[in-house]
Coordinates of all heavy atoms in Angstrom, one line a residue:
Chain O
A61 N 71.0 70.0 106.3 CA 70.0 68.9 106.4 C 70.4 68.1 107.6 O 71.6 68.1 108.0 CB 70.1 68.1 105.1
D62 N 69.5 67.3 108.1 CA 69.8 66.5 109.3 C 70.9 65.5 109.2 O 71.7 65.4 110.1 CB 68.5 65.8 109.7 CG 67.4 66.7 110.2 OD1 67.9 67.8 110.7 OD2 66.2 66.4 110.1
D63 N 71.0 64.8 108.1 CA 72.0 63.7 108.0 C 73.3 64.2 107.6 O 74.2 63.3 107.5 CB 71.4 62.6 107.1 CG 71.0 63.1 105.8 OD1 70.8 64.4 105.7 OD2 70.9 62.4 104.8
I64 N 73.5 65.4 107.4 CA 74.9 65.9 107.0 C 75.6 66.5 108.2 O 75.2 67.4 108.8 CB 74.8 67.0 105.9 CG1 74.3 66.3 104.6 CG2 76.2 67.6 105.6 CD1 74.1 67.2 103.4
I65 N 76.7 65.8 108.5 CA 77.4 66.3 109.7 C 78.7 66.9 109.3 O 79.1 68.0 109.8 CB 77.7 65.1 110.7 CG1 76.4 64.3 110.9 CG2 78.3 65.6 112.0 CD1 76.7 62.8 111.2
Q66 N 79.4 66.2 108.4 CA 80.7 66.7 108.0 C 80.6 67.3 106.5 O 80.1 66.7 105.6 CB 81.7 65.5 107.9 CG 83.1 66.0 108.2 CD 84.0 64.8 108.3 OE1 83.7 63.7 107.9 NE2 85.2 65.0 108.9
Y67 N 81.1 68.5 106.4 CA 81.1 69.1 105.0 C 82.3 69.9 104.8 O 83.1 70.3 105.7 CB 79.8 70.0 104.9 CG 79.7 71.0 106.0 CD1 80.4 72.2 105.9 CD2 78.9 70.8 107.1 CE1 80.2 73.2 106.9 CE2 78.7 71.7 108.1 CZ 79.4 72.9 108.0 OH 79.3 73.8 109.0
S68 N 82.6 70.1 103.5 CA 83.8 70.8 103.1 C 83.6 72.3 103.3 O 82.5 72.8 103.4 CB 84.0 70.6 101.6 OG 84.4 69.3 101.4
N69 N 84.7 73.0 103.5 CA 84.7 74.5 103.7 C 84.2 75.2 102.4 O 84.9 75.2 101.4 CB 86.1 74.9 104.2 CG 86.1 76.4 104.6 OD1 85.1 77.1 104.4 ND2 87.2 76.8 105.1
P70 N 83.1 75.9 102.5 CA 82.6 76.5 101.3 C 83.3 77.8 100.9 O 83.3 78.3 99.8 CB 81.1 76.8 101.5 CG 81.1 76.9 103.0 CD 82.1 76.0 103.6
L71 N 83.9 78.5 101.9 CA 84.5 79.8 101.7 C 85.5 79.9 100.6 O 85.3 80.7 99.7 CB 85.0 80.4 103.0 CG 85.5 81.8 102.9 CD1 84.4 82.8 102.8 CD2 86.4 82.2 104.1
P72 N 86.5 79.0 100.6 CA 87.5 79.1 99.5 C 86.9 78.9 98.1 O 87.3 79.6 97.1 CB 88.5 78.0 99.8 CG 88.4 77.8 101.2 CD 87.0 78.0 101.6
H73 N 85.8 78.1 98.0 CA 85.1 77.9 96.7 C 84.5 79.3 96.3 O 84.7 79.6 95.1 CB 84.0 76.9 96.9 CG 84.5 75.5 97.2 ND1 83.6 74.5 97.5 CD2 85.7 75.1 97.3 CE1 84.3 73.4 97.8 NE2 85.6 73.7 97.6
V74 N 83.9 80.0 97.2 CA 83.3 81.3 96.9 C 84.4 82.3 96.5 O 84.3 83.0 95.5 CB 82.5 81.8 98.1 CG1 81.9 83.1 97.7 CG2 81.5 80.8 98.5
L75 N 85.5 82.3 97.2 CA 86.6 83.2 96.9 C 87.1 82.9 95.5 O 87.3 83.8 94.7 CB 87.8 83.0 97.9 CG 87.5 83.3 99.4 CD1 88.8 83.0 100.1 CD2 87.1 84.7 99.5
I76 N 87.2 81.6 95.2 CA 87.8 81.3 93.9 C 86.8 81.6 92.7 O 87.2 81.9 91.6 CB 88.3 79.8 93.9 CG1 89.8 79.8 93.9 CG2 87.9 79.1 92.6 CD1 90.5 81.0 94.3
L77 N 85.5 81.6 93.0 CA 84.6 82.1 92.0 C 84.9 83.5 91.6 O 84.9 83.8 90.4 CB 83.1 82.0 92.5 CG 82.4 80.7 92.2 CD1 81.0 80.8 92.9 CD2 82.2 80.6 90.7
T78 N 85.2 84.3 92.6 CA 85.5 85.7 92.3 C 86.8 85.7 91.5 O 86.9 86.5 90.5 CB 85.8 86.4 93.7 OG1 84.7 86.1 94.5 CG2 85.8 87.9 93.4
A79 N 87.8 84.9 91.9 CA 89.1 85.0 91.3 C 89.0 84.5 89.8 O 89.7 85.0 88.9 CB 90.1 84.1 92.0
I80 N 88.0 83.5 89.6 CA 87.8 83.0 88.2 C 87.3 84.2 87.3 O 87.7 84.4 86.2 CB 86.9 81.8 88.2 CG1 87.6 80.6 88.8 CG2 86.4 81.5 86.7 CD1 86.7 79.4 89.0
V81 N 86.3 84.9 87.9 CA 85.8 86.0 87.1 C 86.9 87.0 86.8 O 87.0 87.5 85.7 CB 84.7 86.7 88.0 CG1 84.2 88.0 87.2 CG2 83.5 85.8 88.2
V82 N 87.8 87.3 87.8 CA 88.9 88.2 87.6 C 89.8 87.7 86.5 O 90.2 88.4 85.6 CB 89.7 88.4 88.9 CG1 91.0 89.2 88.6 CG2 88.9 89.2 89.9
G83 N 90.0 86.3 86.5 CA 90.9 85.7 85.5 C 90.3 85.9 84.1 O 91.0 86.2 83.2
I84 N 89.0 85.7 84.0 CA 88.4 85.8 82.7 C 88.5 87.3 82.2 O 88.9 87.5 81.0 CB 86.9 85.4 82.8 CG1 86.7 83.9 83.0 CG2 86.1 85.8 81.5 CD1 85.3 83.5 83.3
A85 N 88.3 88.2 83.1 CA 88.4 89.6 82.7 C 89.8 89.9 82.2 O 90.1 90.6 81.2 CB 88.1 90.5 83.8
T86 N 90.8 89.4 82.9 CA 92.2 89.6 82.6 C 92.5 89.0 81.2 O 93.1 89.7 80.3 CB 93.2 88.9 83.6 OG1 92.7 89.3 84.9 CG2 94.6 89.4 83.4
T87 N 92.0 87.7 81.0 CA 92.3 87.1 79.7 C 91.6 87.9 78.5 O 92.2 88.1 77.5 CB 91.8 85.7 79.7 OG1 92.2 85.0 80.9 CG2 92.3 84.9 78.5
A88 N 90.4 88.3 78.8 CA 89.7 89.0 77.7 C 90.4 90.3 77.4 O 90.6 90.7 76.2 CB 88.3 89.4 78.2
L89 N 90.8 91.0 78.4 CA 91.6 92.3 78.2 C 92.9 92.1 77.5 O 93.2 92.8 76.5 CB 91.8 93.0 79.5 CG 92.5 94.3 79.5 CD1 91.7 95.3 78.7 CD2 92.7 94.9 80.9
A90 N 93.6 91.0 77.9 CA 94.9 90.7 77.3 C 94.7 90.3 75.8 O 95.4 90.8 74.9 CB 95.5 89.5 78.0
L91 N 93.6 89.5 75.5 CA 93.4 89.2 74.1 C 93.0 90.4 73.3 O 93.5 90.5 72.1 CB 92.3 88.1 74.0 CG 92.7 86.7 74.5 CD1 91.5 85.8 74.5 CD2 93.7 86.1 73.5
S92 N 92.2 91.3 73.8 CA 91.9 92.5 73.0 C 93.1 93.3 72.8 O 93.2 94.0 71.7 CB 90.7 93.2 73.7 OG 91.1 93.7 75.0
L93 N 94.0 93.4 73.8 CA 95.2 94.1 73.6 C 96.0 93.5 72.4 O 96.6 94.2 71.6 CB 96.1 94.1 74.8 CG 95.8 95.2 75.9 CD1 96.6 95.0 77.1 CD2 96.0 96.6 75.3
V94 N 96.1 92.2 72.4 CA 96.8 91.5 71.3 C 96.2 91.8 70.0 O 96.9 92.0 69.0 CB 96.9 90.0 71.6 CG1 97.5 89.3 70.4 CG2 97.7 89.7 72.8
V95 N 94.9 91.9 69.9 CA 94.2 92.2 68.6 C 94.7 93.6 68.2 O 95.1 93.8 67.0 CB 92.7 92.2 68.8 CG1 92.0 92.8 67.6 CG2 92.2 90.8 69.0
R96 N 94.7 94.6 69.1 CA 95.1 95.9 68.7 C 96.6 95.9 68.4 O 97.0 96.6 67.4 CB 94.9 96.9 69.9 CG 93.5 97.1 70.3 CD 92.9 98.4 69.7 NE 93.7 99.5 69.6 CZ 93.8 100.5 70.6 NH1 93.1 100.3 71.7 NH2 94.6 101.5 70.4
I97 N 97.4 95.1 69.1 CA 98.8 95.1 68.7 C 99.0 94.5 67.3 O 99.8 95.0 66.5 CB 99.6 94.2 69.8 CG1 99.7 95.0 71.1 CG2 101.0 93.9 69.3 CD1 100.3 94.2 72.2
K98 N 98.3 93.5 67.0 CA 98.3 92.8 65.7 C 97.9 93.9 64.6 O 98.6 94.0 63.5 CB 97.4 91.6 65.6 CG 97.2 91.0 64.3 CD 98.4 90.2 63.8 CE 98.1 89.6 62.5 NZ 99.3 89.0 61.8
E99 N 96.9 94.7 64.9 CA 96.5 95.7 64.0 C 97.5 96.7 63.7 O 97.7 97.2 62.5 CB 95.2 96.4 64.5 CG 93.9 95.6 64.2 CD 92.7 96.2 64.9 OE1 92.9 97.3 65.5 OE2 91.7 95.6 65.0
T100 N 98.2 97.2 64.7 CA 99.1 98.3 64.5 C 100.6 97.8 64.2 O 101.2 98.5 63.4 CB 99.2 99.2 65.8 OG1 99.4 98.4 66.9 CG2 98.0 100.0 66.0
Y101 N 101.0 96.7 64.7 CA 102.4 96.3 64.4 C 102.4 95.2 63.3 O 103.4 95.0 62.7 CB 103.0 95.6 65.7 CG 103.4 96.6 66.7 CD1 102.6 97.0 67.7 CD2 104.7 97.1 66.7 CE1 103.0 97.9 68.7 CE2 105.2 98.0 67.7 CZ 104.3 98.4 68.7 OH 104.7 99.3 69.7
G102 N 101.2 94.6 63.1 CA 101.2 93.5 62.1 C 101.9 92.3 62.5 O 102.3 91.4 61.7
S103 N 102.1 92.1 63.8 CA 102.8 90.9 64.3 C 102.4 90.7 65.8 O 102.0 91.6 66.5 CB 104.3 91.1 64.2 OG 105.0 90.1 65.0
I104 N 102.5 89.4 66.2 CA 102.3 89.1 67.6 C 103.5 88.4 68.2 O 103.4 87.7 69.2 CB 101.0 88.3 67.9 CG1 101.0 87.0 67.0 CG2 99.8 89.1 67.6 CD1 99.9 86.0 67.5
E105 N 104.7 88.6 67.5 CA 105.9 88.0 68.1 C 106.7 89.1 68.8 O 106.9 90.2 68.2 CB 106.8 87.5 66.9 CG 106.2 86.2 66.3 CD 106.1 85.0 67.2 OE1 107.0 84.9 68.1 OE2 105.2 84.2 67.0
E106 N 107.0 88.8 70.1 CA 107.7 89.8 70.9 C 108.9 90.5 70.2 O 109.0 91.7 70.2 CB 108.1 89.2 72.2 CG 108.6 90.2 73.2 CD 108.9 89.5 74.6 OE1 108.7 88.2 74.7 OE2 109.4 90.2 75.4
E107 N 109.8 89.6 69.6 CA 111.0 90.1 69.0 C 110.7 91.1 67.9 O 111.3 92.1 67.8 CB 111.8 88.9 68.4 CG 112.9 88.4 69.3 CD 113.5 87.2 68.6 OE1 114.0 87.3 67.5 OE2 113.6 86.1 69.3
N108 N 109.8 90.7 67.1 CA 109.4 91.5 65.9 C 108.9 92.9 66.4 O 109.3 93.9 65.8 CB 108.2 90.8 65.2 CG 108.3 91.0 63.7 OD1 108.6 92.1 63.3 ND2 108.0 89.9 63.0
I109 N 108.1 92.9 67.4 CA 107.5 94.2 67.9 C 108.6 95.0 68.4 O 108.7 96.2 68.2 CB 106.5 93.9 69.0 CG1 105.3 93.2 68.4 CG2 106.0 95.2 69.7 CD1 104.3 92.6 69.3
Q110 N 109.5 94.4 69.2 CA 110.6 95.2 69.8 C 111.6 95.8 68.7 O 112.0 96.9 68.8 CB 111.4 94.4 70.8 CG 110.9 94.6 72.2 CD 111.3 93.6 73.2 OE1 111.9 92.6 72.8 NE2 111.0 93.9 74.4
D111 N 111.8 94.9 67.6 CA 112.6 95.4 66.5 C 112.0 96.7 65.9 O 112.7 97.7 65.7 CB 112.7 94.4 65.4 CG 113.8 93.3 65.8 OD1 114.5 93.6 66.8 OD2 113.9 92.3 65.1

Side-chain angles (χ1 to χ4, degrees):
Chain O
D62 286 337
D63 52 339
I64 292 177
I65 312 152
Q66 207 174 22
Y67 52 84
S68 294
N69 185 353
L71 183 72
H73 296 172
V74 181
L75 295 180
I76 254 15
L77 265 178
T78 317
I80 289 173
V81 174
V82 169
I84 290 170
T86 313
T87 313
L89 182 61
L91 285 173
S92 60
L93 275 176
V94 173
V95 171
R96 295 263 321 268
I97 289 174
K98 170 79 180 165
E99 276 169 11
T100 48
Y101 285 89
S103 166
I104 53 166
E105 291 294 331
E106 189 179 355
E107 261 177 55
N108 215 322
I109 293 167
Q110 265 166 351
D111 279 350

